[in-house]
Amino acid sequence: MPAAAASTLPEPAAPAFSPLYQQIKSLLVRSLQGGEWAPGQVIPSEVELAARFRVSQGTVRKAIDELATENVLVRRQGKGTFVATHAEQSTQFRFLRLTPDDGSAPALRRRLLDCRRMRAPPEVARRLGLKTGEAAVQVRRLLLAAAAGDEPRPVVLDDLWLPGPQFKGLTAERLQAWQGPLYRLFEAEFAVHMIRAEEKIRAVAAAADEAELLAVPAGAPLLLVERLSYT
Amino acid sequence: MPAAAASTLPEPAAPAFSPLYQQIKSLLVRSLQGGEWAPGQVIPSEVELAARFRVSQGTVRKAIDELATENVLVRRQGKGTFVATHAEQSTQFRFLRLTPDDGSAPALRRRLLDCRRMRAPPEVARRLGLKTGEAAVQVRRLLLAAAAGDEPRPVVLDDLWLPGPQFKGLTAERLQAWQGPLYRLFEAEFAVHMIRAEEKIRAVAAAADEAELLAVPAGAPLLLVERLSYT
DNA sequence: TAGTGGTCTAGACCACATC
DNA sequence: ATGTGGTCTAGACCACTAA
């Protein structure tokens, strides 16, 4: 079939021109987000997907290729293509990889400290594109790393600000009960899908309250990671 | 030509089986390292390369694809494929982007502090793959940022360790006289081409000597960027 | 043996840049 | 008009995995 066949296909709600394989990629992502294929599970074979979408195997392959290089999917020769599971693991730092000095990979535990609804401070309002005085939700969490045999040690203080209007029903109880990654909750309950994030890194001295929570002396050097996520 | 043609081709010093496109990729990298195509210049078209290597355009394309996703090459539709040059701009922090808090882009100046040849300390020897006691070159530089109208302020202390054997003629005088990016000097004089780098980031408190050089109080929080470059 | 992804080829047309 | 990379297809064979 000639390449021109692309224009004879129905284009499923594609706003503008985009390569077929990009459209396929979007459809795959949508299925992944929709939970059609669970993490760790196989997705249909390339030929199956090609048949489903009415494109050639090569086009499906290119879409899968990109998702594989993005570590969203994992290919295993002879077995199939699987939904990546390590991306789910480290909810935190999906974009910045966090490793202990010795290179080991301890188990991370989360502890919810706080979840309050309040008027957004000016700085936060600006970053989130809220009007000053509009509601925002502040979530504070502590991440504890437990090396083998050691007791958990606090390593990350997570300060999260969410735009109030889009997170109406979010309460401490809801958060407390949720076990999986936060962004999964956001997707499931609030239809909020994170697409992209910018991170800035600074070195700061620990403030008194931060020092106490992290069990370090006040003034100890800390990494401040400022992450702004877009939906 | 069927796929089996791959086995009829001469395999140029390939130690073991590897996909044709990977071999092509290696050849391209070798040409890049050898300086056959200079940064910013066009490389031959896909069809030309396909003819040169006796493979199909698609195979060359896949090799170039990977080099493009690695930011070694840049494709420009209708014009050709170019050797990436974005490395030239910001000598410093090719992999980590460094920006002032206010987002402006001040001019960076370099000041050479030190250039000594010495026995590599154990830690450095390990990282550089040297035998303990083998020679290493330590280069220390200060980067000063001059915002418009302000006097230059030291912002980065650059501590550089080089394997001695590969940098025989490197002296403080040679460094002092050199104006361009360091890696340019390395390429021109020592045939050393940086391909890849790993960076780790920590927050540390300023030691006494570092604090003095950077004009901050001792113990002030600093970002420690540990970069290991591969050739 | 059958099915999967992995590689390779060949040829078509499109979009862009240049002359 | 020509040449470049960009997309898409179709079909071949290979390597791995599992029943």
Side-chain angles (χ1 to χ4, degrees):
Chain A
M1 198 188 288
S7 58
T8 70
L9 289 174
E11 305 204 356
F17 272 129
S18 84
L20 245 191
Y21 76 91
Q22 287 285 3
Q23 299 177 36
I24 303 299
K25 188 181 167 187
S26 297
L27 293 175
L28 292 177
V29 168
R30 207 166 305 168
S31 287
L32 288 168
Q33 288 183 338
E36 179 173 346
W37 309 306
Q41 296 308 110
V42 220
I43 71 172
S45 76
E46 294 181 352
V47 283
E48 267 181 87
L49 290 172
R52 177 199 293 197
F53 297 133
R54 310 303 221 53
V55 298
S56 80
Q57 187 190 1
T59 302
V60 170
R61 180 179 294 271
K62 185 151 187 182
I64 293 180
D65 273 347
E66 294 206 348
L67 291 172
T69 63
E70 292 170 16
N71 291 318
V72 176
L73 296 177
V74 177
R75 327 186 75 144
R76 294 192 204 287
Q77 185 173 113
K79 301 182 75 173
T81 301
F82 297 75
V83 182
T85 177
H86 68 80
E88 332 278 299
Q89 297 294 359
S90 62
T91 315
Q92 309 305 323
F93 302 94
R94 180 162 160 189
F95 299 89
L96 178 72
R97 285 178 303 285
L98 180 68
T99 57
D101 285 350
D102 59 14
S104 65
L108 276 185
R109 293 177 53 85
R110 298 179 282 270
R111 179 186 301 163
L112 182 64
L113 298 176
D114 202 10
C115 174
R116 287 182 298 182
R117 184 168 300 268
M118 55 171 66
R119 292 184 188 281
E123 181 64 14
V124 171
R126 193 176 62 78
R127 299 296 180 91
L128 293 182
L130 297 174
K131 296 191 189 73
T132 51
E134 214 168 353
V137 181
Q138 185 192 22
V139 179
R140 220 163 200 221
R141 302 190 305 168
L142 201 58
L143 269 66
L144 303 106
D150 279 355
E151 61 186 40
R153 214 166 51 81
V155 287
V156 176
L157 177 60
D158 192 5
D159 235 330
L160 183 62
W161 288 93
L162 303 168
Q166 289 159 60
F167 290 87
K168 283 211 182 306
L170 186 63
T171 64
E173 292 69 35
R174 192 76 194 80
L175 276 177
Q176 199 64 266
W178 182 260
Q179 287 305 325
L182 263 194
Y183 76 92
R184 276 271 180 236
L185 174 65
F186 296 165
E187 284 182 359
E189 302 277 324
F190 306 98
V192 167
H193 300 264
M194 185 169 69
I195 297 298
R196 179 173 70 85
E198 293 170 2
E199 283 179 337
K200 290 182 184 175
I201 304 170
R202 278 190 192 73
V204 297
D209 61 330
E210 298 164 350
E212 191 184 335
L213 286 169
L214 291 169
V216 296
L222 299 177
L223 270 189
L224 170 64
V225 180
E226 190 181 298
R227 178 169 54 210
L228 191 54
S229 299
Y230 298 86
T231 56
Chain B
M1 200 188 290
S7 58
T8 70
L9 288 175
E11 304 203 355
F17 273 127
S18 84
L20 245 191
Y21 76 91
Q22 287 285 4
Q23 300 177 35
I24 303 298
K25 188 181 167 187
S26 297
L27 293 175
L28 292 177
V29 168
R30 208 167 305 170
S31 287
L32 288 168
Q33 288 183 338
E36 179 174 346
W37 309 305
Q41 296 308 111
V42 220
I43 71 173
S45 75
E46 293 182 353
V47 283
E48 266 181 88
L49 291 172
R52 176 197 295 197
F53 298 131
R54 311 303 224 53
V55 298
S56 80
Q57 188 190 1
T59 302
V60 170
R61 180 179 294 272
K62 185 150 187 182
I64 293 181
D65 273 347
E66 294 206 349
L67 290 172
T69 63
E70 292 170 17
N71 290 319
V72 176
L73 296 178
V74 178
R75 326 187 76 145
R76 294 192 202 288
Q77 186 172 114
K79 300 182 75 173
T81 301
F82 297 75
V83 182
T85 178
H86 66 80
E88 332 276 301
Q89 299 294 357
S90 62
T91 314
Q92 309 304 324
F93 301 94
R94 176 163 163 188
F95 300 88
L96 178 71
R97 285 177 303 284
L98 180 67
T99 57
D101 284 350
D102 58 14
S104 65
L108 275 185
R109 293 176 52 83
R110 297 179 282 271
R111 180 185 300 163
L112 181 64
L113 298 176
D114 203 8
C115 174
R116 287 182 299 182
R117 183 169 300 267
M118 55 171 67
R119 291 184 189 282
E123 180 64 15
V124 171
R126 195 177 61 77
R127 300 295 181 92
L128 294 182
L130 297 175
K131 297 192 189 73
T132 50
E134 214 169 352
V137 181
Q138 184 192 22
V139 179
R140 224 166 196 219
R141 302 189 304 167
L142 202 57
L143 269 65
L144 303 106
D150 280 354
E151 62 185 43
R153 214 165 52 82
V155 288
V156 176
L157 177 61
D158 192 5
D159 235 330
L160 185 62
W161 288 93
L162 303 167
Q166 288 159 60
F167 290 87
K168 281 210 183 305
L170 187 63
T171 64
E173 292 69 35
R174 193 77 193 79
L175 277 177
Q176 199 64 267
W178 182 262
Q179 288 305 325
L182 263 194
Y183 79 91
R184 274 275 179 231
L185 173 64
F186 295 165
E187 283 183 358
E189 303 277 324
F190 305 98
V192 167
H193 301 263
M194 185 168 68
I195 296 298
R196 179 172 71 85
E198 293 170 2
E199 282 179 337
K200 289 181 184 175
I201 304 170
R202 277 189 191 76
V204 298
D209 61 330
E210 297 165 350
E212 190 183 335
L213 286 169
L214 290 170
V216 296
L222 299 178
L223 271 188
L224 171 64
V225 180
E226 189 181 299
R227 178 170 54 211
L228 192 54
S229 299
Y230 297 86
T231 57

